[in-house]
């Protein structure tokens, strides 16, 4: 049986020369030491994943390593912050070498892709729970806050929506897709892509005002922007970009899962219409498609309309994130 310290050393302390050191002092002391670049603000966020709640029991360890960090990097992206470092608090039922090897390899592959250093954490025995805290950097006044949307702003989303929710519907036997499509949709659920480059480009360029990452479904998450900004919105439901698998499904399902999916980890952001061309150019440079899907209004509330601008009364019962 591995001791706690052997486990940390073996799976989470990187050999010298691997990864990108961003800290003054990393794993091994009572605290890590981090020196933010002069004049920059630190953006900090935590996300916890609990077995049975956020992922299925027996979930593949490598994918779980990826997703645990991805959902945290997605929060930095939504703030327009560049990833710097993260901590990892782990509760494990047992120290299984295969699991730890898989988990740490998935985790570090994504961490290295974003130059984000693991600088510390905590390890204990308990029901499988993964809590990551990420630290990012953003210039003062540049962060993409939820309270910054203004009437007249365009509403944009990155990438595509709904395939992760569609995969969940398949796993729950609410909807049958066939093996190949189910596998394709499940990739979106297991391996989300945090839109870090886009978030940073929008913030650095002063292109967007408010932003949020879509974890609980666009409708619900957009409401957070509306509430914090004291505005309303009209959302063109038929303009929402469905994931490639969802695109092949019936319109009712497309509408439901693009508006109220969950686990998408795309960005929803608002911007002055004068920035349309600059946003399209920045998105192209990042290799992340973006779509204009609505408008911020002065009147409170979220109005869903179809392609002709007619009000849609979507029956969203059962999609508990959308209330
Ligand atoms: P303390 O007793 O002060 O809480 P620990 O013995 O828990 O310290 O941890 C020893 C060192 O290992 C610390 O630097 C801590 O940040 C780091 N550490 C513990 N668990 C992890 C982990 N899962 N991933 C990365 N670093 C970890
Ligand atoms: Mg400790």
């Amino acid at each position: 049986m591995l001791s706690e310290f052997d486990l940390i050393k073996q799976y989470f302390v990187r050999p010298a020369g691997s990864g990108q050191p961003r800290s003054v002092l990393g794993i091994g002391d009572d605290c890590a030491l981090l020196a933010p670049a002069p004049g920059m603000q630190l953006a900090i966020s935590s996300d916890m994943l609990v077995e049975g709640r956020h992922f299925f029991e027996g979930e593949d360890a490598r994918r779980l390593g990826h997703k645990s960090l991805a959902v945290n990097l997605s929060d930095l992206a939504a703030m327009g912050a560049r990833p710097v470092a993260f901590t990892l608090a782990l509760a494990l039922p047992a120290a299984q070498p295969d699991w730890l090897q898989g988990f740490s390899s998935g985790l570090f592959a994504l961490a290295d892709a974003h130059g984000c250093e693991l600088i510390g954490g905590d390890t204990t025995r308990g029901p499988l729970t993964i809590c990551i805290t990420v630290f990012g950097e953003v210039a003062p006044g540049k962060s993409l806050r939820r309270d910054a949307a203004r009437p007249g702003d365009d509403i944009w989303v990155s990438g595509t929506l709904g395939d992760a929710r569609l995969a969940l519907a398949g796993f729950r036997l609410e909807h049958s897709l066939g093996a190949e499509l189910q596998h394709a949709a499940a990739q979106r659920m297991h391996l989300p892509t945090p839109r870090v480059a886009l978030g940073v480009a929008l913030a650095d360029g002063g292109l967007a005002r408010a932003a949020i990452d879509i974890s609980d479904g666009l409708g619900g998450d957009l409401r957070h922007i509306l509430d914090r900004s004291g505005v309303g919105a009209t959302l063109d439901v038929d303009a929402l970009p469905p994931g490639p698998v969802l695109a092949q499904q019936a319109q009712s399902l497309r509408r439901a899962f693009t508006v109220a999916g969950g686990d998408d980890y795309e960005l929803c952001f608002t911007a002055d219409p004068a920035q349309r061309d600059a946003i399209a150019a920045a998105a192209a440079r990042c290799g992340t498609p973006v779509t204009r899907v609505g408008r911020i209004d002065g009147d409170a509330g979220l109005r869903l309309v179809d392609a002709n601008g007619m009000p849609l009364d979507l029956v969203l019962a059962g999609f508990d994130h959308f209330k």
Side-chain angles (χ1 to χ4, degrees), residues 152-159 161 198 202 207-214 218 222 225 234-235 239-241 266-284 288-296:
D153 277 2
D154 291 325
I155 301 171
W156 298 76
V157 296
S158 67
L161 302 172
L198 178 66
L202 294 172
L207 304 179
R209 287 203 176 104
I212 191 167
D213 67 320
I214 306 173
L218 171 62
L222 176 58
I225 289 184
T234 304
L235 200 59
L240 296 174
E266 295 293 353
L267 297 184
C268 170
F269 56 96
T270 84
D272 188 326
Q275 301 288 3
R276 282 179 191 171
D277 291 346
I279 287 169
T288 304
V290 291
T291 309
R292 213 152 30 82
V293 298
R295 185 188 65 234
I296 297 291

Side-chain angles (χ1 to χ4, degrees), residues 4-5 7-8 12 26-32 88-90 118-123:
E4 181 188 329
F5 301 104
L7 182 160
I8 295 164
F12 297 112
I27 294 174
D29 215 310
D30 295 311
C31 291
L88 168 68
L90 258 186
L118 178 61
I119 57 170
D122 200 17
T123 308

Side-chain angles (χ1 to χ4, degrees), residues 227-294:
D227 291 346
R228 296 291 297 268
S229 299
V231 295
T234 304
L235 200 59
D236 178 355
V237 171
D238 293 330
L240 296 174
V245 184
L246 184 58
Q248 303 173 42
Q249 309 301 312
Q251 184 189 57
S252 57
L253 203 64
R254 268 192 338 256
R255 286 175 167 172
F257 286 178
T258 51
V259 175
D263 254 3
D264 293 310
Y265 300 101
E266 295 293 353
L267 297 184
C268 170
F269 56 96
T270 84
D272 188 326
Q275 301 288 3
R276 282 179 191 171
D277 291 346
I279 287 169
R285 280 195 300 277
C286 299
T288 304
V290 291
T291 309
R292 213 152 30 82
V293 298

